[in-house]
Amino acid sequence: MVSTTSLRLSSVVPATMTGDENKVHELTNMDLAMKLHYIRGVYFFKSEAVEGLTIYDLKKPMFELLQLHFTASGRIRRSEMGRPFIKCNDGGVRIVEAHSEETVDEWFAREVEDSSLFDGLAYNQSLGPDLGYSPLVFLQFTWFKCGGMAVGFSWANVLGDAFSASAFMNMWGKIMAGHVSRKLLHVPPPGKPEFPSLSSVPKTPFSLKRVDPVGDYWVTPNNYKMRKHIFHVSAEKLDHLLSNISCPPSNQSAKVSSAFEVLSAIIWKTLSKIKESSEQITRVTICTKNAHKGEFEIRTNDMVWSTVEANFLVAEAEVSDLVELIVNKRAEENGAIEEMTGREEGGINSDFIAYGAKLTFMNLEEAEIYRLELKGQKPVYANYGVSGVGDEGLVLVLPASTNNVGRLLSVVLPENQLAQLKSELQRNWSIA
């Protein structure tokens, strides 16, 4: 376990003042739709990758990092109308130092049975109730007794999506190695929505769930106890699945199914079998990367949100039929999400759950989580997750290694459903 008695907290601020005391970053409607969610990740490094590094060595690059990503160092404020924004007051990010009484190998041996152990390696704190004083980013450094280290982070999703968090961490590593451009990053202005709604009639997006206003404590309300598990899909197993499951020949298009679509279809079908017949999961949410960003542009919440609907019994369907739906029948909802959140003024009238409003599948195959390097060495293992997931659950599909072979499935579900999913995937697909 991580020794909580050894926790030490400090802060890092930008190397120079960001601007005048009134500088603000306006949050987009899509940012505000994500306000109750948090991206968390953990990277494990061998002892040789961190040998000789002190906490000062780890914190020093952050002074420059926060000059580039200055919004990460701000704090949430509200306008006179109550709409949240980020005040760029250089409040800083919070640094957590911890020590474990275990070796990395001992920790992994226990993690196989209890994936919640990851929670102790990425500081778990939501925004609020003192909203104006809550850091948007936490970075935790945990030293193991074998000399290895875990680098964990907690990233408020209101800042940006998982690709934003990954880019932030990769930039930190580049600055430490002296390999980063000094060109300032561009923060796109919150102008008109990138995905405008095509209808003049307000559309209710299926990928959002309305909840009562949460006020200044940004925590997702749940009706069930949610648990997390990491499934490991080996390269051999993945190759077998991809060679045997694809879109039906009669429905082949220019689009080719990937590991993400196949694994999502398997879990969609399996969870539909687990649920009662009256609760068939006929509609799911798909989150994928928006690739249209420049090299020097700070990513925001610009993932593409879509829904997929099946007009047949999912539990009895062929997995290949579900793959075909996911590949070819997505209905994009970004415009409707932005429109609805805008009408609610970011939580004045009501708030929203995005991840887990419907069963949600997020594609992080291209998140480049293994590009973070310390002393020229990549992590031996990296994993991302999301906290604040709604009752219908979330599945993240991530690369399992530096050479992008195999996949990790980071799954958050109600406790009873997760236990059944583990059993079904092991029995029918040899996935554990």
Side-chain angles (χ1 to χ4, degrees), residues 279-292:
E279 299 180 9
Q280 283 280 309
I281 307 173
T282 58
R283 193 189 302 270
V284 298
T285 299
I286 306 293
C287 302
T288 55
K289 180 182 180 182
N290 176 2
H292 305 295

Side-chain angles (χ1 to χ4, degrees), residues 14-84:
T16 60
M17 185 179 295
T18 296
D20 65 68
E21 61 181 12
N22 295 317
K23 185 175 179 63
V24 302
H25 171 64
E26 299 292 346
L27 296 169
T28 67
N29 291 338
M30 185 62 78
D31 294 335
L32 294 176
M34 305 297 138
K35 63 183 272 191
L36 302 186
H37 304 299
Y38 303 85
I39 309 297
R40 294 197 165 99
V42 180
Y43 305 80
F44 288 85
F45 290 90
K46 293 182 179 179
S47 57
E48 51 264 36
V50 296
E51 184 178 6
L53 289 179
T54 66
I55 188 62
Y56 175 77
D57 297 322
L58 298 169
K59 290 165 71 172
K60 182 180 178 181
M62 295 179 194
F63 296 110
E64 183 174 339
L65 175 67
L66 294 176
Q67 281 185 285
L68 301 174
H69 290 266
F70 56 87
T71 56
S73 191
R75 296 291 185 269
I76 299 294
R77 297 288 190 270
R78 291 187 184 273
S79 68
E80 292 183 359
M81 297 297 295
R83 183 183 173 93

